[in-house]
Amino acid sequence: MRILTWSIDQILQEVSNLENEVKNFKQELYKICWFMRGSISLREAYLMSSEDREIISNIVKENIETTKKSGLPFF
Amino acid sequence: MSENPLKSYFRQPKIYINLPSKLKYYPAGTIEVTDTGEFPVYPMTATDEIAMKTPDALLNGQATIDVIQSCIPNIKNAWYMPNLDLDAVLIAIRIATYGDKMDIETVVPKIGEERSFSVDLRQILDNLLGNEFEEIIEIDNLIVHIRPMTYQEFTKNALKTFEEQRLFTLVNNEDIPEEEKLERFNNSFRKLTELTVGMVSDSITKIQAGDESVTDPDHIQEFLRNADKKFYTEIVKHIEEQKEKFSIKPLTVETYPEDREKGAPDSYEVPIVFDQSNFFV
């Protein structure tokens, strides 16, 4: 509600920031789904908490590292 | 419908909280009371986080309502939640989602250098729980009963005030003739005053004068409009004091020795404010 005390310019700036944040956030969710190769649906990703997403992102990172080290094809 | 076999994989409550209002002021059916009096708080989902980043939903309060009802499912209709529970509920959701530490950025007075420190949100939450809302105030043989505003009333009033203040600033446009400016200024000023008086009268549930009790909102509003300034001021002061009790107190921060050498005071107060930049990690 503090946003109501801001100037129009500040509000418009915040709106733009929020729109970008949402876009980045959605990208993070789509990435999780893509890297988990279908084992997590988009619907499930939207229901995940921040902690769960962090754990999965770490698993994805580990898998990428393992693939690099083992030389197995990733894509 | 049969029980979902995936139920055990649903998100789990991270913390349990009591509410500062001690469940008073919730209309029937708006909250599901538990045996312990404590309510489970679940972390925000990605959907909740996106809702909190949707500008229109943030402005009209819908984002906050959706997130509260998602994370504290015992609150069935958060629009009717007394406003004095709002900060505690949001802090609890923040703790459940990102943990009990929150980083605050501050500028050290006199030296103007930025510092960052960590705040213990559990401590802030505990401080909010120990307060009591004083419903009764006696002014000149009149006993006035007040209640806290609901989140719906709070949002509605904040939006109306916002609209009026916007109109107020538009009046300063150079293209508008002076006479019209004055008229618009008076209109806005009158509406803002009415809004404030309306908020105060909505907060009064009953006025007792001797054996007589008045609960009719129209009678209360009429009385408020015609009462002397002292009565009105004392009511507003009492309401403000109650609001203050349930707001987050600023934190006293001790400065580093190296900052003191540069001229910073020994300590200074930092307001703890939740906004988009620090509510999310």
Side-chain angles (χ1 to χ4, degrees):
Chain A
M1 274 299 152
R2 270 186 342 118
I3 202 168
L4 295 178
T5 59
W6 295 354
S7 70
I8 286 285
D9 289 343
Q10 277 177 298
I11 293 175
L12 291 177
Q13 182 58 52
E14 185 64 14
V15 167
S16 165
N17 292 344
L18 290 173
E19 279 169 356
N20 283 333
E21 280 177 29
V22 169
K23 221 179 259 181
N24 292 336
F25 198 80
K26 282 181 178 173
Q27 194 171 357
E28 185 202 327
L29 296 177
Y30 284 107
K31 266 187 185 173
I32 285 176
C33 296
W34 192 90
F35 279 111
M36 294 309 282
R37 306 294 167 96
S39 64
I40 289 175
S41 69
L42 191 57
R43 185 185 156 82
E44 287 161 343
Y46 269 99
L47 293 174
M48 275 179 190
S49 68
S50 155
E51 189 182 75
D52 289 343
R53 293 195 308 272
E54 193 188 328
I55 292 168
I56 291 172
S57 293
N58 287 338
I59 293 172
V60 168
K61 260 185 218 161
E62 277 172 26
N63 285 347
I64 292 173
E65 284 305 311
T66 310
T67 314
K68 271 185 199 166
K69 279 180 202 158
S70 63
L72 289 166
F74 187 73
F75 292 98
Chain B
M1 201 169 79
S2 63
E3 190 167 280
N4 190 337
L6 297 172
K7 201 177 173 188
S8 59
Y9 297 100
F10 289 180
R11 54 187 171 141
Q12 302 293 316
K14 275 292 177 75
I15 57 165
Y16 287 80
I17 58 157
N18 288 306
L19 294 171
S21 66
K22 296 168 183 77
L23 309 188
K24 269 174 117 181
Y25 316 110
Y26 281 87
T30 56
I31 193 161
E32 197 179 296
V33 181
T34 59
D35 291 340
T36 58
E38 290 193 326
F39 296 95
V41 185
Y42 294 76
M44 280 191 280
T45 64
T47 307
D48 296 331
E49 290 194 46
I50 288 177
M52 290 295 264
K53 291 173 191 285
T54 308
D56 278 3
L58 271 176
L59 274 177
N60 65 24
Q62 191 61 53
T64 312
I65 294 300
D66 290 344
V67 171
I68 291 172
Q69 289 175 188
S70 161
C71 297
I72 311 181
N74 287 67
I75 299 180
K76 300 292 175 198
N77 190 342
W79 284 116
Y80 293 102
M81 180 179 75
N83 208 29
L84 46 93
D85 282 348
L86 183 66
D87 280 348
V89 158
L90 291 178
I91 291 173
I93 293 172
R94 173 68 169 66
I95 294 173
T97 310
Y98 305 114
D100 51 15
K101 297 278 182 283
M102 185 176 87
D103 289 335
I104 296 267
E105 301 284 338
T106 172
V107 176
V108 184
K110 292 189 180 166
I111 64 168
E113 286 181 24
E114 280 187 17
R115 294 282 178 268
S116 170
F117 60 92
S118 189
V119 175
D120 184 352
L121 294 175
R122 280 202 183 259
Q123 204 181 339
I124 295 176
L125 187 59
D126 288 344
N127 289 342
L128 289 174
L129 293 172
N131 293 311
E132 194 79 41
F133 186 86
E134 285 171 50
E135 286 176 3
I136 296 173
I137 172 174
E138 195 174 339
I139 309 165
D140 297 338
N141 299 326
L142 293 175
I143 298 170
V144 184
H145 295 248
I146 61 160
R147 64 163 177 90
M149 269 201 277
T150 64
Y151 184 67
Q152 188 174 47
E153 289 167 327
F154 168 75
T155 310
K156 211 172 84 184
N157 285 320
L159 280 171
K160 275 190 192 165
T161 310
F162 171 71
E163 282 164 21
E164 283 310 318
Q165 278 169 347
R166 270 296 152 246
L167 288 173
F168 213 76
T169 50
L170 285 177
V171 173
N172 277 332
N173 188 333
E174 283 176 9
D175 302 332
I176 302 173
E178 281 304 315
E179 208 172 297
E180 200 185 326
K181 259 189 199 179
L182 191 67
E183 198 189 321
R184 285 200 199 177
F185 176 84
N186 286 337
N187 268 342
S188 280
F189 191 74
R190 202 187 62 241
K191 279 185 189 167
L192 279 172
T193 311
E194 276 173 13
L195 209 65
T196 316
V197 176
M199 274 196 284
V200 175
S201 84
D202 285 348
S203 301
I204 300 173
T205 53
K206 187 164 76 176
I207 299 180
Q208 278 174 270
D211 295 335
E212 192 120 40
S213 279
V214 180
T215 53
D216 184 332
D218 291 336
H219 288 167
I220 291 172
Q221 193 163 63
E222 190 187 358
F223 170 69
L224 211 56
R225 285 181 195 287
N226 293 295
D228 67 33
K229 196 182 161 207
K230 185 195 161 220
F231 182 88
Y232 182 77
T233 315
E234 291 220 13
I235 293 274
V236 172
K237 193 176 147 226
H238 184 76
I239 291 172
E240 283 300 320
E241 280 168 2
Q242 301 314 304
K243 205 172 114 189
E244 188 61 31
K245 272 188 193 176
F246 292 91
S247 60
I248 302 166
K249 306 286 172 291
L251 209 74
T252 304
V253 178
E254 281 189 27
T255 47
Y256 296 119
E258 55 265 37
D259 287 344
R260 286 199 286 273
E261 277 170 24
K262 289 180 198 165
D266 291 348
S267 64
Y268 61 100
E269 287 199 335
V270 179
I272 308 294
V273 180
F274 289 93
D275 55 33
Q276 287 295 324
S277 62
N278 61 19
F279 193 78
F280 299 100
V281 173

